[in-house]
């Protein structure tokens, strides 16, 4: 999806566009991205579905798995969309693919294949096709368990980071700050600033308690 989109046709729809900053460290991606009005017929191939797996074309080669979506989300042009053709056990197999692409083995492959430029490394569609993805039938249950364990561990990291952040607020003014609406649901009032676990010193993203609980970095 182009960075700037103008749309005046009847097929226009306000959607969320998934970008480089929307890759979560762990767990499902549900609603995220920047709201834009686009011609959904023109960009239909970018529309995301539940159980899609995304990988960024530009290093670092982040990976995301799409959960249940309540509104349309499109990917921008800087991500590959991987969609399983076989619908049998699609949830488990999508999780297995997601976890494999995040593995050191897969990431090493992408780094070795990536073309270099002055400012970034980039992988091509062929680099994805050449990767040797194993058959997950024998150990898919263990991979799914690892998927949930990873989320639990990142949740513990986040809670610890928030406790440390609270300690550093000892000298802040105690006046209640109006944080506006939640950036995720865009309906509820934000109750706190969600701090990313790998960027703990940034101010954070305004979120409501419900959305924050459903997202694991």
């Amino acid at each position: 999806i182009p960075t700037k989109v103008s749309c005046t046709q009847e097929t226009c729809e306000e959607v969320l566009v998934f970008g480089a900053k929307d890759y979560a460290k762990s767990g499902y991606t549900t609603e995220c991205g920047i709201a834009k009005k686009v011609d959904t017929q023109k960009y239909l191939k970018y529309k995301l579905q539940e159980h899609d797996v995304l990988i960024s074309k530009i290093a670092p080669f982040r990976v995301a798995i799409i959960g249940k979506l309540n509104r349309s989300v499109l990917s921008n042009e800087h991500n590959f969309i991987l969609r399983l053709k076989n619908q049998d056990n699609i949830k488990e197999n999508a999780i297995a693919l997601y976890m494999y692409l995040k593995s050191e083995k897969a990431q090493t492959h992408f780094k070795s294949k990536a073309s270099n430029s002055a400012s970034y490394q980039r992988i091509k569609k062929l680099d994805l096709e050449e990767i040797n993805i194993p058959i997950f039938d024998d150990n898919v249950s263990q991979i799914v368990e690892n998927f949930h364990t990873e989320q639990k561990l990142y949740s513990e990291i986040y809670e610890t980071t928030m406790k440390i952040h609270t300690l550093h607020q000892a000298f802040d003014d105690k006046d209640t700050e109006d944080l506006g609406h939640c950036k995720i649901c865009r309906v509820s009032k934000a109750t706190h600033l969600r701090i990313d676990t790998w960027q703990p010193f940034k101010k954070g993203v305004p979120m409501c308690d419900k959305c924050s609980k459903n997202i694991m970095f």
Side-chain angles (χ1 to χ4, degrees):
I1 305 298
T3 304
K4 294 183 179 180
V5 179
S6 60
C7 182
T8 58
Q9 302 177 20
E10 294 180 358
T11 54
C12 272
E13 179 185 349
E14 184 175 271
V15 300
L16 297 173
V17 179
F18 181 102
K21 295 181 179 180
D22 297 311
Y23 279 92
K25 274 284 189 178
S26 177
Y28 287 105
T29 295
T30 51
E31 291 186 6
C32 61
I34 300 172
K36 293 183 179 180
K37 284 190 175 182
V38 302
D39 183 339
T40 52
Q41 295 299 316
K42 184 177 180 181
Y43 297 109
L44 194 60
K45 67 178 182 178
Y46 294 102
K47 190 171 183 178
L48 299 178
Q49 299 178 12
E50 187 176 8
H51 307 307
D52 281 352
V53 176
L54 272 66
I55 180 167
S56 58
K57 297 179 181 180
I58 299 172
F61 305 112
R62 299 186 178 96
V63 184
I65 182 169
I66 304 301
K68 186 176 181 180
L69 301 173
N70 296 319
R71 59 183 294 189
S72 295
V73 180
L74 306 185
S75 170
N76 68 19
E77 73 274 20
H78 299 302
N79 310 303
F80 288 115
I81 304 173
L82 307 181
R83 184 168 296 156
L84 300 178
K85 293 182 179 180
N86 189 347
Q87 297 295 302
D88 296 337
N89 302 318
I90 187 170
K91 178 179 179 180
E92 292 78 8
N93 288 328
I95 289 174
L97 175 61
Y98 164 77
M99 292 296 285
Y100 179 73
L101 293 177
K102 291 177 68 178
S103 70
E104 290 186 6
K105 182 177 181 179
Q107 290 291 315
T108 298
H109 169 82
F110 295 136
K111 291 173 184 176
S112 67
K113 294 290 184 179
S115 58
N116 293 296
S117 73
S119 57
Y120 60 82
Q121 288 184 308
R122 186 182 186 90
I123 56 173
K124 302 182 294 293
K125 183 179 179 181
L126 181 63
D127 300 325
L128 279 176
E129 294 173 348
E130 290 180 347
I131 192 171
N132 185 23
I133 299 176
I135 297 174
F136 302 119
D137 294 348
D138 296 335
N139 60 344
V140 67
S141 59
Q142 181 60 57
I143 296 173
V144 172
E145 183 178 339
N146 292 346
F147 172 74
H148 293 296
T149 300
E150 181 188 56
Q151 292 174 68
K152 181 180 178 182
L153 291 173
Y154 272 115
S155 180
E156 291 174 358
I157 292 172
Y158 172 71
E159 290 174 1
T160 301
T161 303
M162 286 300 295
K163 290 177 181 178
I164 295 172
H165 179 66
T166 300
L167 296 178
H168 295 165
Q169 291 180 313
F171 301 100
D172 291 354
D173 295 333
K174 303 303 180 182
D175 295 338
T176 302
E177 181 182 359
D178 182 7
L179 302 177
H181 285 86
C182 173
K183 185 179 179 182
I184 302 301
C185 67
R186 295 176 171 83
V187 176
S188 302
K189 293 285 289 183
T191 57
H192 62 285
L193 295 174
R194 177 77 183 237
I195 299 174
D196 209 329
T197 54
W198 65 92
Q199 294 178 318
F201 301 108
K202 294 189 70 174
K203 187 175 181 181
V205 178
M207 286 193 192
C208 65
D209 291 337
K210 182 178 179 182
C211 289
S212 189
K213 182 179 179 181
N214 291 334
I215 295 177
M216 294 188 180
F217 288 118

